[in-house]
Amino acid sequence: MADEARARRVADRIKTVTAANLESIVKDPDLGFVTVTDVRVTGDLQHASLFYTVFGDEDQRARTARLLEENKGRLRSFVGKQLGIRLTPSLEFVADGIPENAAHVEDLLREARERDAEVAKAASGARYAGEADPYRHEREEAADAEVPDAGER
């Protein structure tokens, strides 16, 4: 069992090597603009999950996923030569959902800003139902205590 620090170092090295050499290994014009966003390696260094994003439409993402799957063996062989460790981890390519999640968060933030604007617009002409400051203050309480009520005289 490898320690976590070594697994992180191996994951970082796989990410760097794969990202820098992906186009030269796959050599296909259908490969989209791929960004390797993260790599996670199991504790025993036997399996690596490579998370990636593709710039383009859904068709481009599908073609890129197919090409990565077809060239998985070549990529693993290259990674194994570059790492120089006894066992080369198997590679799994996972499409990262970061762009979709970011778009969803942006939509939620836009909706929140619109609702805040509506509330601010409604509150701009609003008035207090009673007094502006409904709480009693110490000064007022002291003044009320000094003046006797009409019933006490």
Side-chain angles (χ1 to χ4, degrees), residues 43-60:
D44 58 0
L45 306 178
Q46 295 294 311
H47 183 73
S49 298
L50 286 88
F51 294 88
Y52 69 95
T53 60
V54 180
F55 182 73
D57 58 355
E58 193 62 38
D59 185 46
Q60 182 66 47

Side-chain angles (χ1 to χ4, degrees), residues 56-93:
D57 58 355
E58 193 62 38
D59 185 46
Q60 182 66 47
R61 289 185 205 127
R63 284 192 308 245
T64 300
R66 179 184 50 81
L67 285 170
L68 290 174
E69 197 63 34
E70 288 174 0
N71 291 288
K72 189 187 304 187
R74 294 176 64 201
L75 288 164
R76 181 177 183 218
S77 174
F78 182 78
V79 166
K81 290 175 187 172
Q82 296 298 313
L83 288 179
I85 58 178
R86 187 169 62 93
L87 296 172
T88 302
S90 61
L91 303 180
E92 174 190 18
F93 290 95

Side-chain angles (χ1 to χ4, degrees), residues 4-132:
E4 290 182 26
R6 183 170 186 219
R8 279 194 306 272
R9 286 192 311 268
V10 168
D12 288 343
R13 183 73 179 137
I14 290 172
K15 180 180 177 181
T16 304
V17 165
T18 305
N21 299 293
L22 189 61
E23 289 182 5
S24 64
I25 296 170
V26 175
K27 295 181 185 174
D28 193 316
D30 285 341
L31 182 68
F33 184 72
V34 178
T35 303
V36 179
T37 57
D38 193 20
V39 175
R40 295 187 187 143
V41 178
T42 58
D44 58 0
L45 306 178
Q46 295 294 311
H47 183 73
S49 298
L50 286 88
F51 294 88
Y52 69 95
T53 60
V54 180
F55 182 73
D57 58 355
E58 193 62 38
D59 185 46
Q60 182 66 47
R61 289 185 205 127
R63 284 192 308 245
T64 300
R66 179 184 50 81
L67 285 170
L68 290 174
E69 197 63 34
E70 288 174 0
N71 291 288
K72 189 187 304 187
R74 294 176 64 201
L75 288 164
R76 181 177 183 218
S77 174
F78 182 78
V79 166
K81 290 175 187 172
Q82 296 298 313
L83 288 179
I85 58 178
R86 187 169 62 93
L87 296 172
T88 302
S90 61
L91 303 180
E92 174 190 18
F93 290 95
V94 180
D96 204 345
I98 289 175
E100 291 82 16
N101 292 342
H104 179 67
V105 169
E106 285 296 323
D107 290 342
L108 292 174
L109 289 172
R110 180 186 42 76
E111 184 179 332
R113 280 191 295 274
E114 290 172 358
R115 288 184 182 176
D116 286 348
E118 289 174 9
V119 169
K121 183 179 177 183
S124 65
R127 294 181 299 154
Y128 292 106
E131 297 177 22

Side-chain angles (χ1 to χ4, degrees), residues 140-153:
E140 294 170 0
E141 290 175 4
D144 288 345
E146 293 174 7
V147 177
D149 286 341
E152 293 179 10
R153 292 185 195 177

